[in-house]
Amino acid sequence: MKGSLVALAVLLAAGAWADAPEKEIAALPGLVRYWTFDEGYGDEVVNHAPSPAGKLALTGGPQGSLTIVHDTGWGDVSPFVREKWKGEIEPRWIRGRLPGKSALRVGTYARGLFRAGLSGAELTNGFTIAMWTRFVTGTNRFDQAHLVKMSDAYSDGFDVYAVSYDKKSVGYHARFALGKDAAGKQLFAEVRADGVPVGAWHFVAVTWDGKEVRMSVDGKPGEAKPMDRPFVPIRMGGGWTAYFPFFEDCVRGCFTVGGTSRSPSNVPFDMDTLAIFDRPLSEAELKTVAGPAASVNEPEPDPVAKLVLPQDTAGYFRIGEKVPLSLRTKDPGRLTGGKLKVHVETLDGQLIEDREEKLQNQTIKQSNNQTIGISTLSFP
């Protein structure tokens, strides 16, 4: 198996949760992708929408399951950004909007989640993009969080994003690339809903019925704009997999949650549920997708410790290579024991091993954090 790729995840305990309307949502016609973010650990977010029999994601889950990416794209994150967001650089699992549910905090200046297997051609007759999301904190710098993005949303694709205008409110926007007019001018449609409070969970939905694109937040209508043509899908088949086997093979701008290395989010945000349909949903159907209102909205505490993987690996490693891991914390006194539970599997989901790995006793001062343990793993 030398030369094959493996995925590594350090498991963190999380409460099991079952979304009451999950079966109802999965039964709605036209469901293309549905992620509940209720895993609570690991690097895969499972797609709960029906998928073709026998077709799996590279991570072993159903086709369309998302993969959390740990690299920082074009180089490391600046010390200024690390200090500003207190380490909220990479995605990490947090408490969700309901008791016992998990969600994902998507970090800044790094790739977020990818490999949804979408080109946009699935949505050319109509669509709904609906999500439970939370803008973590407001700024007055017009900072953006790319919630769901495909290419640049000017030449092709779309971008559903949030913009912070001040420290108390945020605007949710959605932009769709519509191609060029007869004079060669680039066309696009954009809708928005402004004045939404930050730090709280909100249900954001964008629908298109072939004539008009609409946005709503928590069931309240935002803007509606004419859109008499579908957005331009992205082109697949860019040849990237020859160099990066764990990437999707598209020419540019694959579907992501959290933006790309070329167009990253520069503020963290939380994602609880995300559903995509190939038709516009009615108000009653949107209420079904939304489910219960958020009942947990406490600030997420800073993590006690953070596992640091080698940079620019996307969480995948070749069998036979040594993998250095370090555990970083600002408060070593809060940690007990000295072991990590490690789960390793091939990209197609075949288990290689589960084991506990002992951390070596090393302490290295690194800026405001301490690396309290370093362990080197290797797999046969």
Side-chain angles (χ1 to χ4, degrees), residues 15-33:
W17 176 82
D19 194 347
E22 184 175 319
K23 291 183 179 180
E24 295 179 55
I25 296 172
L28 288 174
L31 183 62
V32 177
R33 295 289 186 273

Side-chain angles (χ1 to χ4, degrees), residues 8 10 12 304-309 323-329 332 334-342 355-364 370-377:
L8 178 148
V10 174
L12 300 176
V304 175
K306 176 184 176 182
L307 179 74
V308 182
L309 297 173
V323 182
L325 303 176
S326 61
L327 194 65
R328 187 172 296 168
T329 181
R334 295 180 63 187
L335 295 178
T336 59
K339 293 182 179 180
L340 295 175
K341 186 176 182 182
V342 180
R355 78 176 191 230
E356 286 191 343
E357 182 70 21
K358 185 176 181 180
L359 289 168
Q360 300 173 12
N361 292 323
Q362 296 188 39
T363 301
I364 303 175
Q370 284 186 327
T371 300
I372 65 165
I374 296 178
S375 180
T376 300
L377 308 179

Side-chain angles (χ1 to χ4, degrees), residues 41-64:
Y41 70 89
D43 291 337
E44 182 182 66
V45 181
V46 173
N47 169 36
H48 295 282
S51 58
K55 288 196 173 184
L56 299 177
L58 285 176
T59 43
Q63 186 180 44

Side-chain angles (χ1 to χ4, degrees), residues 237-259:
W240 291 103
T241 52
Y243 305 96
F244 308 102
F246 40 82
F247 282 180
E248 280 186 281
D249 202 16
C250 58
V251 174
R252 47 179 258 141
C254 295
F255 178 100
T256 63
V257 175

Side-chain angles (χ1 to χ4, degrees), residues 42-158:
D43 291 337
E44 182 182 66
V45 181
V46 173
N47 169 36
H48 295 282
S51 58
K55 288 196 173 184
L56 299 177
L58 285 176
T59 43
Q63 186 180 44
S65 295
L66 293 169
T67 301
I68 298 173
V69 186
H70 295 282
D71 71 8
T72 55
W74 304 102
D76 198 2
V77 180
S78 71
F80 167 76
V81 173
R82 286 192 183 276
E83 177 61 26
K84 178 181 177 183
W85 296 115
K86 297 180 181 180
E88 295 285 10
I89 305 300
E90 297 182 355
R92 68 178 175 98
W93 293 101
I94 62 171
R95 294 173 296 184
R97 77 183 197 280
L98 298 172
K101 190 185 185 307
S102 65
L104 195 72
R105 175 155 296 175
V106 182
T108 60
Y109 283 90
R111 294 173 181 151
L113 294 84
F114 72 154
R115 265 204 323 241
L118 295 173
S119 70
E122 308 88 350
L123 310 177
T124 54
N125 294 318
F127 60 73
T128 296
I129 303 170
M131 68 193 78
W132 275 102
T133 186
R134 178 171 60 182
F135 200 88
V136 176
T137 183
T139 73
N140 55 6
R141 294 162 46 91
F142 297 96
D143 287 323
Q144 293 187 10
H146 296 282
L147 310 176
V148 182
K149 184 175 174 65
M150 180 182 287
S151 192
D152 60 6
Y154 286 107
S155 56
D156 54 1
F158 64 85

Side-chain angles (χ1 to χ4, degrees), residues 303-324:
V304 175
K306 176 184 176 182
L307 179 74
V308 182
L309 297 173
Q311 290 208 353
D312 299 326
T313 62
Y316 297 91
F317 313 93
R318 293 192 180 278
I319 294 176
E321 292 182 356
K322 292 184 176 181
V323 182

